[in-house]
Amino acid sequence: MTVSHLRAAVTVSETSSFTEAANLLELSQSSLSRRIADLERILKVQLFHRTTRSVEPTPSGVDLLAQMRATLVSFDKGVEQLHQQASGDSGSITIGCLPSIAASFLPGLIREFIRVHPDVRVEVRDALTTQVVEQVRSGAVDFGITAASNRERDLTYERIGADRFYCALPRWHRLADHESVEWEMLRDERVITFSPYTSISRPVAMSLEAAGVDSDSTMVGHNVGAVAGLVASGLGVTAVPGLVRPLMEFAQLAFVPLRPTIRREVHVIRRKGEQPSPAVERFIRPMHVKHEFLE
């Protein structure tokens, strides 16, 4: 039994005519008759009463034809879904990324993507850098967007941009009105640092060390909100990438560019050797275009 058998029977049932059904299916009447006869032989039941004037389902045929119709609807829907998924027009995408990426850079990309591909489901899992790397490695996400300092051999890294660092401090602070802040100017400040599991910790520690500033801190924050609150209360200052700034606006801080400028490179990371789905490929492609706010 094939789909063409079922489609032939359902079309005859809907048109009540072998001639009209043959025309719709682009078959000769003899070919259509053979398909119906084959189907009746396979099912061991007569599906239609045929006269010179009409074609009507038999009592047994009524129920069977209803089941055939439902089967074809399900089949056609499934085939359409396969086509859509193969073309990137349906399916799902799961993205692992830094909270700062999820809040600032990613929404615009998602909005444009679902405008063109409204049937693709997008899930965002924000996490620290080390967690994003593990999400990608384990297959929990299709790809990650992060600023990893170290490169893992089993992953691929595609640079999509970078953001520069700012000194975040209370608006009343003596350095808040400066056009820029030298790293060495933080020597007399209590610097609040981020957890070493973040993408912020290492470049900041290296810059402070190069400027001769003691990078040991009495306060360490694991998330942006906590660090912003500590800075706003006057407990110290911190250094943050540009993409993190929107997450700290609630604390009403001042952000002054740090000199010399250092940049945090942002990459799309994927499992090496894995072929992305069409939907993933279409989502990632626009990220290779230069984004001004990432430079």
Side-chain angles (χ1 to χ4, degrees):
M1 189 186 303
T2 66
V3 171
S4 60
H5 284 123
L6 303 185
R7 205 175 298 282
V10 168
T11 305
V12 170
S13 173
E14 291 176 344
T15 60
S16 298
S17 167
F18 270 74
T19 302
E20 189 175 346
N23 290 334
L24 288 173
L25 296 171
E26 297 181 345
L27 295 172
S28 65
Q29 287 195 48
S30 59
S31 294
L32 177 60
S33 294
R34 281 196 299 272
R35 288 190 184 182
I36 298 300
D38 287 342
L39 184 58
E40 291 178 327
R41 176 178 53 79
I42 292 168
L43 293 175
K44 298 179 180 179
V45 67
Q46 184 179 352
L47 295 173
F48 298 100
H49 287 303
R50 282 161 274 195
T51 67
T52 55
R53 295 184 178 182
S54 67
V55 178
E56 298 292 337
T58 64
S60 297
V62 171
D63 292 336
L64 289 171
L65 287 163
Q67 183 61 44
M68 291 180 197
R69 189 176 294 105
T71 300
L72 285 175
V73 169
S74 179
F75 175 80
D76 290 341
K77 185 180 295 185
V79 169
E80 178 61 24
Q81 288 174 344
L82 288 173
H83 279 299
Q84 289 180 347
Q85 190 156 348
S87 66
D89 291 329
S90 69
S92 64
I93 297 174
T94 305
I95 307 166
C97 65
L98 300 174
S100 58
I101 297 289
S104 56
F105 173 59
L106 202 54
L109 290 174
I110 294 175
R111 182 172 58 251
E112 180 59 23
F113 180 80
I114 62 176
R115 183 185 68 80
V116 181
H117 308 285
D119 295 325
V120 178
R121 177 178 176 271
V122 180
E123 179 180 350
V124 178
R125 300 183 182 181
D126 61 304
L128 299 180
T129 294
T130 54
Q131 295 170 328
V132 172
V133 170
E134 287 307 313
Q135 287 176 349
V136 174
R137 177 178 285 122
S138 68
V141 299
D142 293 301
F143 64 93
I145 308 176
T146 188
S149 301
N150 299 319
R151 297 201 175 191
E152 306 293 337
R153 293 183 179 180
D154 57 334
L155 303 177
T156 62
Y157 293 74
E158 302 168 69
R159 185 185 183 278
I160 59 172
D163 57 352
R164 62 178 181 171
F165 277 75
Y166 294 80
C167 182
L169 61 173
R171 291 181 179 179
W172 47 260
H173 194 279
R174 63 183 181 85
L175 300 176
D177 294 330
H178 284 49
E179 290 186 4
S180 64
V181 171
E182 302 291 330
W183 288 92
E184 62 183 20
M185 294 169 65
L186 302 181
R187 188 175 290 113
D188 298 326
E189 301 292 333
R190 179 185 286 114
V191 179
I192 301 170
T193 60
F194 281 82
S195 161
Y197 300 106
T198 69
S199 63
I200 302 173
S201 176
R202 185 176 180 184
V204 170
M206 293 176 63
S207 298
L208 291 173
E209 183 178 354
V213 179
D214 184 3
S215 60
D216 290 338
S217 174
T218 57
M219 281 176 289
V220 178
H222 288 263
N223 63 68
V224 173
V227 173
L230 293 172
V231 173
S233 68
L235 289 171
V237 302
T238 193
V240 295
L243 285 174
V244 171
R245 288 179 56 179
L247 301 183
M248 304 180 85
E249 288 181 351
F250 75 92
Q252 299 182 338
L253 303 176
F255 296 91
V256 184
L258 281 160
R259 300 282 187 265
T261 300
I262 63 168
R263 296 182 183 275
R264 181 184 67 158
E265 293 196 347
V266 178
H267 297 86
V268 170
I269 62 174
R270 291 187 281 181
R271 290 173 291 284
K272 188 172 290 186
E274 182 176 85
Q275 182 65 33
S277 70
V280 169
E281 188 62 42
R282 289 189 178 189
F283 189 97
I284 291 176
R285 192 178 304 134
M287 286 193 275
H288 296 292
V289 178
K290 181 179 178 181
H291 301 280
E292 292 183 359
F293 56 90
L294 261 182
E295 295 293 341

